């Protein structure tokens, strides 16, 4: 028993599991949020800006009650809104590329919270997934592979200087001027936020966790990054080993929470459907297919809805896969088959109901359960990517082999082996545009 606990502890503190899965999550969620912001660029003033039906004063009153963080409440100036919106686009793009992922994951999260908490009635369900995952991604080491940070770290390692695959890469014998400048700029930004921010930037206010205010959380992350640099540069022995173990533990804990969150979304959606009479008699999908608001291709929706058998199979199939999904994770073959069905279902939702960003966000969340062996085979497709992304080998930095997610431990050996709500949104709101 003691030996098993020791091995388990060594595993969760000795390596950051699921490097490919977290990298795919980083790329996919950032891409989803970036595409949404770009698509809604012409409508940004009506969605989150000064022309929004949910006015600045109403949003300020609501966030004052629920203590949600949004930088847009610091000022009602149109210039400030344009700045925040543009920065949210920039941070999402840089996080997707994997440039200084430690910093960009925090800045991108702040961009997501600032816009989504400004107008809480905008969204189609996928915004909730992006919102939650943006919070969890801050604690993950999502730049180990498929990132500019990993490429830079590998190059520095070949040159004899140690790098950091998650950005801010200061080797013991090197000086990363870009990382130092970025860290200083972030510190100055926090100082300005303390003076320009509202009561949500109070040290005693509410924050991401009970008893943890936003200033404490943000200054803490900033200080930890500085400590990380100081230890890596000046104390590469036991202090660095301790920090590495804590980083691995935080990453693995966040990855476990992400996986549990996806399972919870599916289970909740499935079991609530079981209680609905329309899902019980197999006619639930007939109704959204006849709502013009959710029918971008009316002829296709009406053709499918004209068949009672198709509607029955789709309705029962949706409930079955959602309820069964959490129970299939320990069986490799069943899990992989169900993952394919889930992703196909979300593609159907994107096409039939006109909810592309909801579907894309859920497909990306499902991808956290994809087998590592399958993701490694995707490396062969890197030649299809534009330069310079296609020219580096997306392999983890370090001497240890790429670890796998906890769900894949039941899949068998890594070299021998070959995961979202798929709830159909009910009558809800879609974004303008």
């Amino acid at each position: 028993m003691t030996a098993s606990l020791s091995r388990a502890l060594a595993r969760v503190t000795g390596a950051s599991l699921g490097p490919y899965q977290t990298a795919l999550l980083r790329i996919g969620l950032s891409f989803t949020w970036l595409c949404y912001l770009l698509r809604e660029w012409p409508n940004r003033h009506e969605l989150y800006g000064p022309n929004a039906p949910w006015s600045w004063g109403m949003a300020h009153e609501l966030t004052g009650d629920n203590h949600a963080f949004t930088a847009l409440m610091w000022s009602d100036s149109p210039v400030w809104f344009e700045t925040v919106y543009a920065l949210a686009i920039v941070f999402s793009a840089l996080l997707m590329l994997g440039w200084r992922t430690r910093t960009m994951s925090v800045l991108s999260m702040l961009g997501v919270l600032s816009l989504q908490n400004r107008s809480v009635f905008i969204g189609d369900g996928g915004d909730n997934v992006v919102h939650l995952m943006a919070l969890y991604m801050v604690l993950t080491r999502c730049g180990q592979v498929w990132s500019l940070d990993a490429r830079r770290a590998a190059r520095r390692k070949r040159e004899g200087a140690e790098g950091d695959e998650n950005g801010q890469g200061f080797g013991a014998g090197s000086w990363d001027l870009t990382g130092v400048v970025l860290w200083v700029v972030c510190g100055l930004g926090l100082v300005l936020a303390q003076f320009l921010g509202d009561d949500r930037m109070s040290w005693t206010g509410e924050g991401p966790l009970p008893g943890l205010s936003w200033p404490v959380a943000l200054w803490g992350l900033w200080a930890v990054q500085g400590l990380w640099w100081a230890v890596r540069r000046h104390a590469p022995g036991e202090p660095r080993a301790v920090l590495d173990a804590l980083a691995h533990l935080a990453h693995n804990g966040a990855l476990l929470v992400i996986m549990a969150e996806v399972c919870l979304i599916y289970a909740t959606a499935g079991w609530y459907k079981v209680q609905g009479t329309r899902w019980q008699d197999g006619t639930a999908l007939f109704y959204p297919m006849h709502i013009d608001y959710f029918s971008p291709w009316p002829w296709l929706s009406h053709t499918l809805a004209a068949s009672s058998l198709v509607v029955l199979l789709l309705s029962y199939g949706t409930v079955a896969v959602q309820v069964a999904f959490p129970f299939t994770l320990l069986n490799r073959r069943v899990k992989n088959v169900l993952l394919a069905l889930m992703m196909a279902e979300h593609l159907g939702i994107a096409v039939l109901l006109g909810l592309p960003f909801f579907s894309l966000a859920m497909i990306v969340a499902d991808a956290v359960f994809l087998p590592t062996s399958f993701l490694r085979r995707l490396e062969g497709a890197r030649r299809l990517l534009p330069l310079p992304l296609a020219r580096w080998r997306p392999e983890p930095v370090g001497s240890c082999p790429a670890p796998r997610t906890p769900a894949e431990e039941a899949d068998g050996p890594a070299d021998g082996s070959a995961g979202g709500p798929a709830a159909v949104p009910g009558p809800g709101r879609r974004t303008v545009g």
Side-chain angles (χ1 to χ4, degrees), residues 20 146 371-382 414 417-418:
Y20 292 92
W146 295 338
T372 299
S373 57
F374 171 75
L375 295 177
R376 285 176 177 173
R377 285 195 290 270
L378 290 181
E379 294 179 10
R382 68 182 182 277
S417 64

Side-chain angles (χ1 to χ4, degrees), residues 298-368:
W299 61 270
L300 178 59
S301 299
H302 294 168
T303 299
L304 293 177
S307 174
S308 301
L309 179 60
V310 171
V311 173
L312 180 69
L313 293 177
L314 290 177
S315 299
Y316 282 172
T318 297
V319 175
V321 295
Q322 289 181 359
V323 171
F325 179 75
F327 301 100
T328 64
L329 295 182
L330 297 180
N331 186 294
R332 180 188 60 179
R333 292 180 177 83
V334 176
K335 178 201 71 173
N336 292 340
V337 170
L338 208 58
L339 269 178
L341 292 176
M342 287 294 206
M343 293 181 177
E345 179 181 348
H346 288 305
L347 289 175
I349 292 174
V351 174
L352 293 177
L353 300 183
L355 299 171
F357 297 109
F358 165 81
S359 299
L360 184 56
M362 285 315 308
I363 289 174
V364 172
D366 291 344
V368 75

Side-chain angles (χ1 to χ4, degrees), residues 72-281:
L72 291 177
M73 293 297 98
W74 299 352
S75 172
D76 59 354
S77 168
V79 176
W80 176 243
F81 164 74
E82 298 288 356
T83 301
V84 172
Y85 198 96
L87 288 177
I89 292 176
V90 172
F91 295 150
S92 296
L94 292 177
L95 180 61
M96 180 181 66
L97 296 175
W99 186 80
R100 310 286 169 172
T101 52
R102 289 186 186 277
T103 301
M104 290 306 136
S105 62
V106 178
L107 296 179
S108 181
M109 173 199 69
L110 296 179
V112 170
L113 298 182
S114 295
L115 292 174
Q116 290 190 355
N117 290 335
R118 164 62 177 87
S119 297
V120 294
F121 296 108
I122 298 297
D124 53 18
D127 56 311
N128 294 328
V129 177
V130 174
H131 189 118
L132 291 172
M133 297 303 171
L135 291 168
Y136 302 147
M137 289 291 289
V138 172
L139 298 178
T140 64
R141 308 182 76 176
C142 55
Q144 295 181 94
V145 299
W146 295 338
S147 69
L148 295 177
D149 290 340
R151 182 189 184 191
R152 184 179 66 252
R155 183 178 65 249
R156 293 167 69 88
K157 186 176 181 180
R158 289 194 300 269
E159 295 172 354
E162 187 176 355
D164 178 5
E165 71 278 7
N166 278 290
Q168 316 307 106
F170 311 110
S174 63
W175 180 267
D176 188 350
L177 180 60
T178 303
V180 173
V181 171
L182 184 60
W183 185 76
V184 172
V185 169
C186 288
L188 294 176
L190 283 174
V191 172
L192 291 176
Q194 290 293 149
F195 289 99
L196 300 178
D198 54 7
D199 56 352
R200 275 160 290 281
M201 289 302 292
S202 170
W203 289 93
T204 59
E206 298 290 336
L209 294 174
L212 180 67
S213 65
W214 279 107
V216 172
L218 297 177
W219 279 109
L221 291 171
W222 182 82
V224 166
Q225 189 58 62
L227 176 64
W228 185 276
W229 169 81
V231 169
R232 292 182 71 89
R233 183 171 179 82
H234 301 291
E238 184 175 352
R240 174 183 165 180
V242 172
L243 288 183
D244 281 337
L246 292 176
H248 294 318
L249 187 61
H251 167 96
N252 295 329
L255 180 59
L256 180 61
V257 171
I258 290 173
M259 298 169 68
E261 185 73 41
V262 175
C263 292
L264 182 62
I265 292 173
Y266 274 126
T268 303
W271 286 107
Y272 268 102
K273 285 181 176 63
V274 170
Q275 303 175 47
T277 56
R278 293 293 177 263
W279 291 99
Q280 291 175 6
D281 59 27

Side-chain angles (χ1 to χ4, degrees), residues 44-46 48-52 55-56 76 78 81 118:
R44 64 191 185 282
H45 293 267
E46 288 73 24
Y48 306 108
N51 300 331
S55 67
W56 188 88
D76 59 354
F81 164 74
R118 164 62 177 87

